[in-house]
Amino acid sequence: MSEKNIKELDDIKQQALLGLSSLGSVDQLENWRVRYLGRKGDLTNVLRGISNLPIDDRKIVGSKANKLRIYLEEEYQVNLSKIKSGNLDIQDAIDITLPGRKVKMGRLHPSTTMIREIIQAFNEMGFQTVEGDEIELEKYNFDMLNIPADHPARDQWDTIWIDSDQHDDLLLRTHTSPMQARVMEKNDPQVRVIVPGKCYRYEATDATHEWHFNQIEGLAVDTNITFADLKGTLYEFVKKIFGPSRKVRFRCDFFPFVEPGVDMSIDWNGRWIEIMGAGMVHPKVLEAVGYDTEKYTGFAFGMGPERISMLQNEITDIRHFYSNDLRFLSQF
Ligand code: FA5
């Protein structure tokens, strides 16, 4: 008989403690007290029934029930003072008189904003966006672009090589131009793509040079593409980004993968700032991907969006972009 009562007391204890753990206010605690310790409460019922038990059981059950009553009363007091001191009472803990504070929102990095703006300008001119890997093979970064191993032009792109047991020809791409070859290898003409992405060079940094930066490559290949198409496309791009009256300068430049080659600069308070290299795709590059050079011609360009953002937003040092200073980043 006493076993049944003892089991009943154990159950009451278990339920009472479980109920206690989810209480948050004085009212809830009072309900809890009435349920377990009140005149008609679960534990009081057991205590009342003790007089009907056989004499031996009375002692055992009575002592256990009394211990439980004392224990639960103590728990009640402890929780009451906790709630009153604000530790537990969630409702009372919220000070609704505290003025609201503005939530700090994140925002796009200025490089990302610039890249998206440039991509949009070219998408509107019919260029499709593709992306490539930052870890590249020497073959695509150099050889396929008419820059063989002994070519002095390689020095122009100081390369960060990747140590690997299996490969001795892995590098962090120094420009986005390897994607020219990769896109043409996979697609027959016509091609009209824009390729944004990160590039890396082992070079000293200064106000206009970072060792890691973004580039946006452009490539158009078709029948009858001429240098006039290149100039027209880039003028249109400058108009879209800088407005109709910004001065632009083309100058001859050398890149082994174009012929003729140019660089394009933008007027910045009376100074020319170079923003991209460009030119007509070299026949050797077209040949390397199996294009018919009698039939197809193309133009290509590669620009630095951080440099363009500097011009657009009057930023005097490119190193701000990656120094993670919120005073700088939050201005854009
Ligand atoms: C190239 O990287 C050629 N691949 C561009 C090209 C593509 C030419 C297609 C012809 C045809 P260059 O090293 O000049 O060229 O870099 C192109 C642009 O990337 C620069 O005009 C500049 O805007 C940006 N750039 C280059 N080096 C850095 C650097 N260290 N930090 C920031 N921007 C850079």
Side-chain angles (χ1 to χ4, degrees):
M1 182 67 184
S2 69
E3 268 173 27
K4 181 174 159 264
N5 295 111
I6 283 168
K7 164 98 178 37
E8 194 178 357
L9 288 171
D10 287 343
D11 288 348
I12 291 173
K13 183 176 178 184
Q14 205 182 359
Q15 277 176 23
L17 292 180
L18 199 67
L20 204 56
S21 64
S22 61
L23 299 183
S25 71
V26 175
D27 284 350
Q28 288 170 342
L29 184 63
E30 179 56 17
N31 289 340
W32 178 89
R33 192 193 65 75
V34 171
R35 175 168 174 195
Y36 294 102
L37 297 166
R39 275 195 305 125
K40 291 180 184 166
D42 294 357
L43 183 57
T44 317
N45 278 342
V46 177
L47 284 164
R48 275 215 193 96
I50 286 176
S51 54
N52 302 327
L53 295 176
I55 189 102
D56 289 347
D57 289 350
R58 261 187 237 170
K59 270 194 193 162
I60 301 166
V61 178
S63 141
K64 192 160 167 99
N66 267 321
K67 276 190 194 152
L68 181 58
R69 183 177 52 79
I70 293 165
Y71 176 71
L72 292 183
E73 279 170 358
E74 281 171 2
E75 284 296 310
Y76 169 78
Q77 287 302 337
V78 169
N79 279 276
L80 184 64
S81 51
K82 264 197 205 168
I83 288 174
K84 283 193 169 163
S85 69
N87 279 358
L88 259 181
D89 196 332
I90 292 158
Q91 276 166 0
D92 291 349
I94 297 171
D95 179 359
I96 56 164
T97 63
L98 198 68
R101 268 168 265 164
K102 213 173 156 198
V103 179
K104 277 196 180 165
M105 298 287 285
R107 61 178 74 203
L108 291 177
H109 189 275
S111 300
T112 310
T113 315
M114 194 70 245
I115 289 168
R116 290 192 181 178
E117 207 180 314
I118 295 170
I119 286 176
Q120 165 138 16
F122 283 104
N123 287 165
E124 284 166 9
M125 291 190 266
F127 285 75
Q128 196 187 337
T129 313
V130 293
E131 285 182 292
D133 295 332
E134 289 172 24
I135 294 180
E136 189 47 281
L137 291 168
E138 183 180 9
K139 173 181 149 189
Y140 288 97
N141 200 79
F142 293 121
D143 302 84
M144 300 278 283
L145 295 172
N146 193 28
I147 319 175
D150 54 353
H151 199 293
R154 282 208 187 197
D155 301 342
Q156 192 181 328
W157 290 288
D158 292 311
T159 310
I160 298 174
W161 293 91
I162 292 183
D163 258 349
S164 159
D165 292 339
Q166 279 112 48
H167 300 274
D168 58 359
D169 56 352
L170 283 183
L171 47 82
L172 289 177
R173 67 177 171 193
T174 58
H175 50 178
T176 41
S177 299
M179 279 302 285
Q180 287 187 29
R182 285 191 179 273
V183 167
M184 289 193 282
E185 251 184 1
K186 282 219 179 98
N187 302 280
D188 291 330
Q190 18 160 256
V191 168
R192 214 184 290 176
V193 291
I194 198 91
V195 189
K198 206 75 190 284
C199 305
Y200 303 83
R201 290 186 194 174
Y202 184 69
E203 66 176 277
T205 63
D206 61 28
T208 52
H209 292 84
E210 256 292 6
W211 67 272
H212 59 125
F213 53 95
N214 285 285
Q215 275 194 350
I216 298 181
E217 191 81 10
L219 173 70
V221 182
D222 205 341
T223 50
N224 299 322
I225 290 209
T226 68
F227 198 82
D229 296 310
L230 168 62
K231 280 183 96 175
T233 306
L234 293 181
Y235 277 138
E236 184 60 23
F237 157 71
V238 172
K239 252 197 253 167
K240 281 177 187 281
I241 300 292
F242 294 101
S245 51
R246 198 73 177 232
K247 280 197 217 153
V248 176
R249 182 186 73 180
F250 283 102
R251 250 185 352 184
C252 288
D253 201 349
F254 174 72
F255 301 96
F257 35 95
V258 287
E259 180 57 40
V262 290
D263 65 46
M264 183 179 160
S265 301
I266 298 278
D267 174 51
W268 192 37
N269 303 325
R271 267 178 70 202
W272 292 111
I273 303 286
E274 185 207 304
I275 59 162
M276 72 171 96
M280 299 304 290
V281 182
H282 199 292
K284 282 195 177 165
V285 175
L286 296 175
E287 261 164 32
V289 295
Y291 279 11
D292 181 349
T293 52
E294 293 298 315
K295 198 167 163 196
Y296 296 110
T297 50
F299 66 77
F301 54 85
M303 66 182 80
E306 278 93 8
R307 291 246 184 108
I308 295 170
S309 176
M310 287 171 78
L311 288 166
Q312 207 189 38
N313 301 300
E314 309 271 322
I315 298 163
T316 49
D317 196 318
I318 199 169
R319 288 167 291 197
H320 288 311
F321 282 87
Y322 297 105
S323 59
N324 276 343
D325 187 337
L326 284 178
R327 286 170 305 177
F328 171 77
L329 294 174
S330 60
Q331 290 177 50
F332 299 95

mmCIF file of all heavy atoms in Angstrom, residues 157 175 177 180 201 203 208-210 213 215 217 255 257-258 274-278 300-304 307 318, ligand 1:
data_model
loop_
_atom_site.group_PDB
_atom_site.id
_atom_site.type_symbol
_atom_site.label_atom_id
_atom_site.label_comp_id
_atom_site.label_asym_id
_atom_site.label_seq_id
_atom_site.Cartn_x
_atom_site.Cartn_y
_atom_site.Cartn_z
ATOM 1 N N TRP A 157 53.108 41.125 -64.217
ATOM 2 C CA TRP A 157 52.093 40.583 -63.316
ATOM 3 C C TRP A 157 52.780 39.696 -62.267
ATOM 4 O O TRP A 157 52.862 38.475 -62.418
ATOM 5 C CB TRP A 157 51.061 39.776 -64.118
ATOM 6 C CG TRP A 157 50.220 40.677 -64.972
ATOM 7 C CD1 TRP A 157 49.253 41.520 -64.537
ATOM 8 C CD2 TRP A 157 50.267 40.830 -66.397
ATOM 9 N NE1 TRP A 157 48.695 42.193 -65.603
ATOM 10 C CE2 TRP A 157 49.298 41.794 -66.746
ATOM 11 C CE3 TRP A 157 51.043 40.258 -67.414
ATOM 12 C CZ2 TRP A 157 49.069 42.188 -68.057
ATOM 13 C CZ3 TRP A 157 50.820 40.652 -68.714
ATOM 14 C CH2 TRP A 157 49.847 41.612 -69.027
ATOM 15 N N HIS A 175 45.044 38.414 -63.129
ATOM 16 C CA HIS A 175 44.041 39.233 -63.816
ATOM 17 C C HIS A 175 42.867 38.327 -64.192
ATOM 18 O O HIS A 175 42.938 37.109 -64.016
ATOM 19 C CB HIS A 175 44.624 39.941 -65.051
ATOM 20 C CG HIS A 175 45.385 39.056 -66.005
ATOM 21 N ND1 HIS A 175 45.932 39.510 -67.176
ATOM 22 C CD2 HIS A 175 45.681 37.726 -65.979
ATOM 23 C CE1 HIS A 175 46.538 38.518 -67.811
ATOM 24 N NE2 HIS A 175 46.399 37.432 -67.099
ATOM 25 N N SER A 177 41.791 38.017 -67.197
ATOM 26 C CA SER A 177 41.922 37.648 -68.616
ATOM 27 C C SER A 177 41.929 36.137 -68.889
ATOM 28 O O SER A 177 41.505 35.726 -69.976
ATOM 29 C CB SER A 177 43.170 38.302 -69.211
ATOM 30 O OG SER A 177 43.052 39.707 -69.136
ATOM 31 N N GLN A 180 39.033 34.811 -70.627
ATOM 32 C CA GLN A 180 38.843 34.970 -72.082
ATOM 33 C C GLN A 180 38.985 33.608 -72.744
ATOM 34 O O GLN A 180 38.124 33.156 -73.495
ATOM 35 C CB GLN A 180 39.912 35.892 -72.668
ATOM 36 C CG GLN A 180 39.768 37.351 -72.347
ATOM 37 C CD GLN A 180 40.797 38.173 -73.122
ATOM 38 O OE1 GLN A 180 41.217 37.804 -74.218
ATOM 39 N NE2 GLN A 180 41.208 39.290 -72.555
ATOM 40 N N ARG A 201 48.264 40.054 -56.804
ATOM 41 C CA ARG A 201 49.611 40.277 -57.344
ATOM 42 C C ARG A 201 50.583 40.487 -56.192
ATOM 43 O O ARG A 201 50.249 41.166 -55.206
ATOM 44 C CB ARG A 201 49.632 41.514 -58.252
ATOM 45 C CG ARG A 201 48.889 41.265 -59.538
ATOM 46 C CD ARG A 201 49.002 42.408 -60.515
ATOM 47 N NE ARG A 201 48.009 42.233 -61.564
ATOM 48 C CZ ARG A 201 47.750 43.090 -62.517
ATOM 49 N NH1 ARG A 201 48.439 44.220 -62.582
ATOM 50 N NH2 ARG A 201 46.830 42.848 -63.417
ATOM 51 N N GLU A 203 52.837 42.448 -55.101
ATOM 52 C CA GLU A 203 53.434 43.757 -55.351
ATOM 53 C C GLU A 203 53.257 44.683 -54.151
ATOM 54 O O GLU A 203 52.362 44.489 -53.328
ATOM 55 C CB GLU A 203 52.872 44.396 -56.620
ATOM 56 C CG GLU A 203 51.415 44.766 -56.581
ATOM 57 C CD GLU A 203 51.000 45.497 -57.870
ATOM 58 O OE1 GLU A 203 51.228 46.705 -57.929
ATOM 59 O OE2 GLU A 203 50.473 44.858 -58.792
ATOM 60 N N THR A 208 47.298 53.701 -55.066
ATOM 61 C CA THR A 208 46.482 53.196 -56.189
ATOM 62 C C THR A 208 46.719 51.700 -56.455
ATOM 63 O O THR A 208 46.183 51.153 -57.417
ATOM 64 C CB THR A 208 46.761 53.987 -57.489
ATOM 65 O OG1 THR A 208 48.169 53.999 -57.712
ATOM 66 C CG2 THR A 208 46.217 55.406 -57.406
ATOM 67 N N HIS A 209 47.534 51.054 -55.636
ATOM 68 C CA HIS A 209 47.821 49.627 -55.838
ATOM 69 C C HIS A 209 47.577 48.817 -54.573
ATOM 70 O O HIS A 209 48.111 49.140 -53.515
ATOM 71 C CB HIS A 209 49.281 49.402 -56.252
ATOM 72 C CG HIS A 209 49.585 49.924 -57.604
ATOM 73 N ND1 HIS A 209 49.911 51.233 -57.838
ATOM 74 C CD2 HIS A 209 49.597 49.311 -58.815
ATOM 75 C CE1 HIS A 209 50.117 51.409 -59.128
ATOM 76 N NE2 HIS A 209 49.934 50.259 -59.752
ATOM 77 N N GLU A 210 46.776 47.780 -54.695
ATOM 78 C CA GLU A 210 46.599 46.805 -53.619
ATOM 79 C C GLU A 210 47.213 45.496 -54.096
ATOM 80 O O GLU A 210 47.407 45.300 -55.301
ATOM 81 C CB GLU A 210 45.101 46.581 -53.351
ATOM 82 C CG GLU A 210 44.576 47.251 -52.100
ATOM 83 C CD GLU A 210 45.118 46.667 -50.801
ATOM 84 O OE1 GLU A 210 46.008 45.797 -50.835
ATOM 85 O OE2 GLU A 210 44.667 47.112 -49.738
ATOM 86 N N PHE A 213 42.728 42.801 -55.434
ATOM 87 C CA PHE A 213 41.791 43.802 -55.929
ATOM 88 C C PHE A 213 40.849 43.107 -56.917
ATOM 89 O O PHE A 213 41.077 41.959 -57.298
ATOM 90 C CB PHE A 213 42.558 44.932 -56.635
ATOM 91 C CG PHE A 213 43.497 44.442 -57.706
ATOM 92 C CD1 PHE A 213 43.121 44.380 -59.036
ATOM 93 C CD2 PHE A 213 44.764 43.991 -57.363
ATOM 94 C CE1 PHE A 213 43.981 43.892 -60.012
ATOM 95 C CE2 PHE A 213 45.638 43.499 -58.336
ATOM 96 C CZ PHE A 213 45.247 43.452 -59.654
ATOM 97 N N GLN A 215 38.883 42.876 -60.637
ATOM 98 C CA GLN A 215 38.909 43.319 -62.030
ATOM 99 C C GLN A 215 37.586 42.928 -62.670
ATOM 100 O O GLN A 215 36.888 42.028 -62.184
ATOM 101 C CB GLN A 215 40.042 42.632 -62.815
ATOM 102 C CG GLN A 215 41.375 43.326 -62.677
ATOM 103 C CD GLN A 215 42.404 42.868 -63.697
ATOM 104 O OE1 GLN A 215 42.201 41.884 -64.415
ATOM 105 N NE2 GLN A 215 43.513 43.571 -63.760
ATOM 106 N N GLU A 217 36.587 41.873 -66.503
ATOM 107 C CA GLU A 217 37.048 41.598 -67.857
ATOM 108 C C GLU A 217 35.869 41.728 -68.804
ATOM 109 O O GLU A 217 34.730 41.419 -68.426
ATOM 110 C CB GLU A 217 37.562 40.142 -67.887
ATOM 111 C CG GLU A 217 38.317 39.765 -69.117
ATOM 112 C CD GLU A 217 39.761 40.254 -69.037
ATOM 113 O OE1 GLU A 217 40.198 40.707 -67.967
ATOM 114 O OE2 GLU A 217 40.458 40.166 -70.062
ATOM 115 N N PHE A 255 49.819 44.853 -74.376
ATOM 116 C CA PHE A 255 49.434 43.620 -73.669
ATOM 117 C C PHE A 255 49.589 42.516 -74.708
ATOM 118 O O PHE A 255 49.060 42.649 -75.822
ATOM 119 C CB PHE A 255 47.970 43.678 -73.203
ATOM 120 C CG PHE A 255 47.665 44.810 -72.276
ATOM 121 C CD1 PHE A 255 47.140 46.005 -72.763
ATOM 122 C CD2 PHE A 255 47.900 44.698 -70.911
ATOM 123 C CE1 PHE A 255 46.854 47.057 -71.914
ATOM 124 C CE2 PHE A 255 47.611 45.753 -70.053
ATOM 125 C CZ PHE A 255 47.094 46.926 -70.556
ATOM 126 N N PHE A 257 48.208 39.884 -75.339
ATOM 127 C CA PHE A 257 47.004 39.201 -75.824
ATOM 128 C C PHE A 257 46.082 40.098 -76.634
ATOM 129 O O PHE A 257 44.969 39.690 -76.995
ATOM 130 C CB PHE A 257 46.233 38.565 -74.648
ATOM 131 C CG PHE A 257 46.292 39.354 -73.372
ATOM 132 C CD1 PHE A 257 45.280 40.234 -73.050
ATOM 133 C CD2 PHE A 257 47.370 39.215 -72.504
ATOM 134 C CE1 PHE A 257 45.339 40.967 -71.872
ATOM 135 C CE2 PHE A 257 47.432 39.962 -71.326
ATOM 136 C CZ PHE A 257 46.423 40.832 -71.007
ATOM 137 N N VAL A 258 46.519 41.345 -76.902
ATOM 138 C CA VAL A 258 45.744 42.211 -77.792
ATOM 139 C C VAL A 258 46.664 42.874 -78.807
ATOM 140 O O VAL A 258 47.855 43.067 -78.557
ATOM 141 C CB VAL A 258 44.974 43.315 -77.016
ATOM 142 C CG1 VAL A 258 43.799 42.752 -76.262
ATOM 143 C CG2 VAL A 258 45.889 44.109 -76.123
ATOM 144 N N GLU A 274 44.479 55.969 -64.921
ATOM 145 C CA GLU A 274 44.230 54.800 -65.778
ATOM 146 C C GLU A 274 43.224 53.855 -65.097
ATOM 147 O O GLU A 274 43.395 53.510 -63.931
ATOM 148 C CB GLU A 274 45.551 54.074 -66.016
ATOM 149 C CG GLU A 274 45.415 52.926 -66.988
ATOM 150 C CD GLU A 274 46.472 51.858 -66.742
ATOM 151 O OE1 GLU A 274 47.664 52.193 -66.758
ATOM 152 O OE2 GLU A 274 46.070 50.701 -66.541
ATOM 153 N N ILE A 275 42.183 53.494 -65.824
ATOM 154 C CA ILE A 275 41.214 52.574 -65.216
ATOM 155 C C ILE A 275 41.153 51.211 -65.896
ATOM 156 O O ILE A 275 40.619 50.268 -65.339
ATOM 157 C CB ILE A 275 39.785 53.166 -65.138
ATOM 158 C CG1 ILE A 275 39.269 53.538 -66.535
ATOM 159 C CG2 ILE A 275 39.705 54.327 -64.173
ATOM 160 C CD1 ILE A 275 37.757 53.710 -66.569
ATOM 161 N N MET A 276 41.700 51.126 -67.116
ATOM 162 C CA MET A 276 41.653 49.802 -67.749
ATOM 163 C C MET A 276 42.631 49.654 -68.906
ATOM 164 O O MET A 276 43.102 50.631 -69.468
ATOM 165 C CB MET A 276 40.249 49.492 -68.254
ATOM 166 C CG MET A 276 39.801 50.265 -69.464
ATOM 167 S SD MET A 276 38.250 49.601 -70.090
ATOM 168 C CE MET A 276 37.083 50.709 -69.320
ATOM 169 N N GLY A 277 42.927 48.382 -69.197
ATOM 170 C CA GLY A 277 43.660 48.039 -70.404
ATOM 171 C C GLY A 277 42.656 47.437 -71.373
ATOM 172 O O GLY A 277 41.658 46.845 -70.959
ATOM 173 N N ALA A 278 42.931 47.578 -72.685
ATOM 174 C CA ALA A 278 41.966 47.069 -73.674
ATOM 175 C C ALA A 278 42.663 46.858 -75.013
ATOM 176 O O ALA A 278 43.845 47.190 -75.174
ATOM 177 C CB ALA A 278 40.819 48.060 -73.828
ATOM 178 N N ALA A 300 38.716 43.154 -76.265
ATOM 179 C CA ALA A 300 38.704 42.757 -74.855
ATOM 180 C C ALA A 300 39.162 43.944 -74.026
ATOM 181 O O ALA A 300 39.852 44.848 -74.517
ATOM 182 C CB ALA A 300 39.637 41.575 -74.631
ATOM 183 N N PHE A 301 38.766 43.943 -72.785
ATOM 184 C CA PHE A 301 39.231 44.991 -71.867
ATOM 185 C C PHE A 301 39.237 44.431 -70.448
ATOM 186 O O PHE A 301 38.567 43.429 -70.153
ATOM 187 C CB PHE A 301 38.350 46.251 -71.950
ATOM 188 C CG PHE A 301 36.873 45.978 -71.747
ATOM 189 C CD1 PHE A 301 36.319 45.917 -70.479
ATOM 190 C CD2 PHE A 301 36.045 45.777 -72.853
ATOM 191 C CE1 PHE A 301 34.961 45.670 -70.307
ATOM 192 C CE2 PHE A 301 34.676 45.525 -72.681
ATOM 193 C CZ PHE A 301 34.140 45.470 -71.413
ATOM 194 N N GLY A 302 40.030 45.048 -69.579
ATOM 195 C CA GLY A 302 40.063 44.634 -68.168
ATOM 196 C C GLY A 302 40.210 45.875 -67.313
ATOM 197 O O GLY A 302 41.132 46.667 -67.502
ATOM 198 N N MET A 303 39.253 46.067 -66.415
ATOM 199 C CA MET A 303 39.277 47.310 -65.619
ATOM 200 C C MET A 303 39.285 47.007 -64.119
ATOM 201 O O MET A 303 38.917 45.909 -63.694
ATOM 202 C CB MET A 303 38.063 48.165 -65.956
ATOM 203 C CG MET A 303 36.749 47.549 -65.536
ATOM 204 S SD MET A 303 35.367 48.590 -66.022
ATOM 205 C CE MET A 303 35.191 48.158 -67.737
ATOM 206 N N GLY A 304 39.680 48.021 -63.331
ATOM 207 C CA GLY A 304 39.712 47.865 -61.881
ATOM 208 C C GLY A 304 38.557 48.627 -61.235
ATOM 209 O O GLY A 304 38.597 49.861 -61.192
ATOM 210 N N ARG A 307 39.461 51.231 -58.545
ATOM 211 C CA ARG A 307 39.975 52.503 -59.087
ATOM 212 C C ARG A 307 38.826 53.369 -59.587
ATOM 213 O O ARG A 307 38.833 54.588 -59.428
ATOM 214 C CB ARG A 307 40.916 52.232 -60.263
ATOM 215 C CG ARG A 307 42.206 51.573 -59.861
ATOM 216 C CD ARG A 307 43.410 52.498 -60.097
ATOM 217 N NE ARG A 307 44.638 51.789 -59.785
ATOM 218 C CZ ARG A 307 45.506 51.379 -60.695
ATOM 219 N NH1 ARG A 307 45.287 51.600 -61.978
ATOM 220 N NH2 ARG A 307 46.595 50.744 -60.334
ATOM 221 N N ILE A 318 43.451 53.557 -52.209
ATOM 222 C CA ILE A 318 42.772 52.282 -52.492
ATOM 223 C C ILE A 318 42.811 51.339 -51.287
ATOM 224 O O ILE A 318 41.959 50.466 -51.137
ATOM 225 C CB ILE A 318 43.399 51.606 -53.742
ATOM 226 C CG1 ILE A 318 42.444 50.554 -54.325
ATOM 227 C CG2 ILE A 318 44.752 50.999 -53.431
ATOM 228 C CD1 ILE A 318 42.846 50.030 -55.676
HETATM 229 C C1 FA5 B 1 45.556 43.709 -67.046
HETATM 230 O O1 FA5 B 1 45.434 43.127 -66.000
HETATM 231 C C2 FA5 B 1 44.999 43.160 -68.338
HETATM 232 N N1 FA5 B 1 44.572 41.829 -68.122
HETATM 233 C C3 FA5 B 1 43.871 44.072 -68.813
HETATM 234 C C4 FA5 B 1 43.445 43.799 -70.216
HETATM 235 C C5 FA5 B 1 42.381 42.926 -70.450
HETATM 236 C C6 FA5 B 1 44.130 44.379 -71.270
HETATM 237 C C7 FA5 B 1 41.983 42.673 -71.768
HETATM 238 C C8 FA5 B 1 43.724 44.120 -72.557
HETATM 239 C C9 FA5 B 1 42.662 43.269 -72.782
HETATM 240 P P1 FA5 B 1 46.570 45.847 -65.966
HETATM 241 O O2 FA5 B 1 47.634 45.187 -65.207
HETATM 242 O O3 FA5 B 1 46.871 47.191 -66.517
HETATM 243 O O4 FA5 B 1 46.040 44.963 -67.147
HETATM 244 O O5 FA5 B 1 45.263 45.962 -65.014
HETATM 245 C C10 FA5 B 1 44.029 46.403 -65.510
HETATM 246 C C11 FA5 B 1 43.350 47.310 -64.494
HETATM 247 O O6 FA5 B 1 43.254 46.640 -63.237
HETATM 248 C C12 FA5 B 1 44.128 48.587 -64.187
HETATM 249 O O7 FA5 B 1 43.828 49.596 -65.126
HETATM 250 C C13 FA5 B 1 43.618 48.928 -62.814
HETATM 251 O O8 FA5 B 1 42.362 49.569 -62.900
HETATM 252 C C14 FA5 B 1 43.426 47.569 -62.193
HETATM 253 N N2 FA5 B 1 44.611 47.198 -61.404
HETATM 254 C C15 FA5 B 1 45.763 46.660 -61.834
HETATM 255 N N3 FA5 B 1 46.637 46.461 -60.828
HETATM 256 C C16 FA5 B 1 46.005 46.884 -59.707
HETATM 257 C C17 FA5 B 1 46.381 46.940 -58.325
HETATM 258 N N4 FA5 B 1 47.562 46.499 -57.889
HETATM 259 N N5 FA5 B 1 45.480 47.460 -57.442
HETATM 260 C C18 FA5 B 1 44.286 47.867 -57.878
HETATM 261 N N6 FA5 B 1 43.865 47.844 -59.156
HETATM 262 C C19 FA5 B 1 44.718 47.355 -60.076
#
